[in-house]
Amino acid sequence: MDLLNKLYIEPTSKCNLNCKMCFRNTWFDESFCDMPFEIFKKTIDTRPHEVKTVFFGGMGEPLYHPRILDMIEMCKENRLYVELLSNGTMLTPNFSKALLDSGLNKLWISLDFLKDEENSHTESKNSGHPNYNDIIKRIEIFNQVLKNHTHFAHLGITFVATKSNVHHLALLPYFIDRYSISDVNISNMYPSDMESKKDVLYQRTLNLSVGSDQYGARRPKVNIPYMDWGLKEVQEGLEGLFSKMNFNLLVGNIPVPRRSQYCRFVEEGASFVRSDGDVSPCMALLHNGTTVVFDTDRKVYHHSFGNLKDKGLKDIWQSEEYSEFRERVKNFSFSPCMNCGQCSLSESNQEDCYGNSAPTCGGCLWAEGLLSCP
């Protein structure tokens, strides 16, 4: 039987910001709510015993929930490792201390930039994004509180890379050292419309199945040794090499494949509890939203295998329907919409041309190894 190792909990679908690239802007037929504390308590009380980690995240701002500290404390009372992803704007000295007092093990801060730019203040005001200086101030506050606290917590950052901001990654080594970052998760952007699709970094990779472990068997192999990557000569050589990349890459004789047709959430034993108590198998199916496949708007409908109002988490996880779905995803016999996308069935995740019924996963960017969650 599959083991549930990691539990993602969405404390709230509300947020104090309105960032233009946020998934929430693509939602349809959705409402915003805080998770009732009794639903959270039931989640923890009825979880399978093998759960090791609780990750507070989802689509809202976890720190916006009025009882988030109580939630963390309850997890720690149950000897769970606790992570939380935040936009960072609420990290006052008092709140930072309270998070550490509650026993939080790892705080993730979501960033779209690693330096201040001329127009960042204007963009922040108009787009709902926090500006760089404010977020840096909040990170420094957290680090200062952490330095003087008896409890230690790791600090990680998540970064959504686009054509507009990928140049910021050149500053990542400095940023990691300056702000004592222990983990970095870099993801591509989830395109919500044709305008945002112009800013993605992976379209050629996807179209040619570059690096895919499913489609690369006949490609030549290129093995490169470790080098001083900072040397100008090395950078120039690798820039030319990767600009034509249509081969299988090895570094130091170790393959660097892009896992495709692979759901990390299912394979690694994760599940999601939405703010209203619905239990979903992955981030993509947590809410109704829209993305773009080639030039087609694809509606991705929320899918739940039960609600905590009606059943315990263990019963939902072990249900026949949920177990059969996980097995179907591991076999991944879905039509490859992300590599085809030419028929009307690609307009939603309700049916595919292989005869699969909802939810179908062939049009999932997470399953193509292009989106990543911590």
Side-chain angles (χ1 to χ4, degrees):
M1 181 176 291
D2 294 339
L3 299 181
L4 176 55
N5 299 307
K6 188 171 185 176
L7 187 58
Y8 289 84
I9 296 179
E10 180 185 70
T12 181
S13 54
K14 300 175 184 178
C15 188
N16 60 326
L17 300 178
N18 186 28
C19 301
K20 61 183 179 181
M21 71 163 58
C22 181
F23 295 1
R24 297 160 77 250
N25 296 326
T26 79
W27 285 1
F28 58 90
D29 299 332
E30 288 279 350
S31 58
F32 298 91
C33 69
D34 292 334
M35 177 179 285
F37 194 77
E38 57 268 23
I39 291 294
F40 171 75
K41 185 177 185 304
K42 187 174 180 181
T43 301
I44 299 303
D45 289 345
T46 65
R47 75 192 189 281
H49 72 276
E50 67 269 10
V51 174
K52 301 179 182 69
T53 300
V54 167
F55 188 105
F56 290 106
M59 301 297 186
E61 168 53 49
L63 299 186
Y64 210 46
H65 193 287
R67 298 196 65 181
I68 186 62
L69 297 173
D70 294 329
M71 291 178 169
I72 297 172
E73 287 177 0
M74 180 172 287
C75 289
K76 297 309 298 180
E77 288 169 1
N78 284 270
R79 299 182 179 180
L80 294 165
Y81 187 88
V82 182
E83 303 181 45
L84 185 147
L85 173 60
S86 171
N87 60 41
T89 57
M90 299 178 68
L91 290 175
T92 62
N94 287 339
F95 211 153
S96 296
K97 181 179 183 302
L99 284 171
L100 294 171
D101 289 344
S102 69
L104 182 69
N105 297 105
K106 184 182 293 185
L107 175 66
W108 293 87
I109 303 294
S110 176
L111 291 174
D112 296 332
F113 34 70
L114 296 177
K115 65 176 180 179
D116 197 12
E117 293 186 330
E118 266 181 62
N119 58 355
S120 67
H121 299 285
T122 303
E123 285 183 353
S124 300
K125 183 178 179 180
N126 295 334
S127 69
H129 282 71
N131 66 57
Y132 173 82
N133 290 325
D134 182 59
I135 292 298
I136 290 303
K137 179 182 177 182
R138 304 290 178 173
I139 291 175
E140 289 175 340
I141 286 172
F142 181 81
N143 276 335
Q144 186 58 46
V145 174
L146 178 61
K147 182 179 179 181
N148 296 316
H149 203 281
T150 56
H151 174 72
F152 177 76
H154 293 280
L155 180 62
I157 60 170
T158 66
F159 186 92
V160 177
T162 65
K163 290 178 183 176
S164 304
N165 70 1
V166 70
H167 61 284
H168 287 221
L169 294 181
L171 296 174
L172 190 55
Y174 159 80
F175 199 91
I176 289 172
D177 184 61
R178 174 67 179 80
Y179 299 108
S180 303
I181 306 300
S182 65
D183 296 271
V184 178
N185 185 84
I186 301 170
S187 178
N188 280 297
M189 180 179 65
Y190 188 81
S192 58
D193 52 33
M194 290 305 300
E195 190 61 31
S196 61
K197 187 195 168 200
K198 296 175 184 176
D199 213 19
V200 301
L201 300 169
Y202 56 77
Q203 198 57 57
R204 183 172 177 272
T205 296
L206 187 59
N207 293 349
L208 297 177
S209 298
V210 172
S212 169
D213 56 3
Q214 295 291 323
Y215 303 105
R218 297 184 180 179
R219 289 205 177 99
K221 297 179 181 178
V222 174
N223 178 52
I224 61 176
Y226 283 91
M227 304 176 185
D228 293 336
W229 310 115
L231 288 175
K232 178 183 177 182
E233 295 84 354
V234 172
Q235 293 175 358
E236 290 175 351
L238 293 181
E239 180 182 3
L241 174 66
F242 292 137
S243 69
K244 306 297 182 183
M245 186 175 178
N246 195 12
F247 50 79
N248 295 328
L249 176 66
L250 296 86
V251 178
N253 292 305
I254 298 174
V256 186
R258 172 173 68 84
R259 277 180 161 171
S260 57
Q261 299 187 2
Y262 174 91
C263 177
R264 176 191 154 210
F265 300 117
V266 167
E267 294 285 352
E268 296 181 6
S271 190
F272 288 70
V273 181
R274 200 166 74 160
S275 53
D276 62 359
D278 268 356
V279 178
S280 295
C282 64
M283 178 69 82
L285 299 177
L286 198 60
H287 291 277
N288 296 316
T290 304
T291 187
V292 177
V293 177
F294 293 92
D295 294 327
T296 301
D297 288 336
R298 177 179 173 89
K299 289 187 179 297
V300 180
Y301 290 88
H302 160 64
H303 193 88
S304 169
F305 288 99
N307 191 289
L308 270 298
K309 295 174 185 175
D310 306 315
K311 296 180 181 179
L313 180 59
K314 184 176 180 179
D315 290 337
I316 296 173
W317 173 259
Q318 295 180 349
S319 68
E320 183 177 355
E321 183 187 11
Y322 197 173
S323 298
E324 287 179 352
F325 174 77
R326 293 196 298 273
E327 189 62 29
R328 184 154 56 109
V329 171
K330 289 178 180 180
N331 294 329
F332 217 93
S333 55
F334 301 102
S335 58
C337 296
M338 281 297 179
N339 301 94
C340 175
Q342 302 302 309
C343 75
S344 60
L345 293 178
S346 66
E347 294 175 4
S348 80
N349 66 335
Q350 297 300 283
E351 184 183 358
D352 69 20
C353 59
Y354 285 10
N356 292 296
S357 57
T360 60
C361 302
C364 179
L365 286 169
W366 280 275
E368 286 299 319
L370 299 170
L371 297 190
S372 174
C373 295

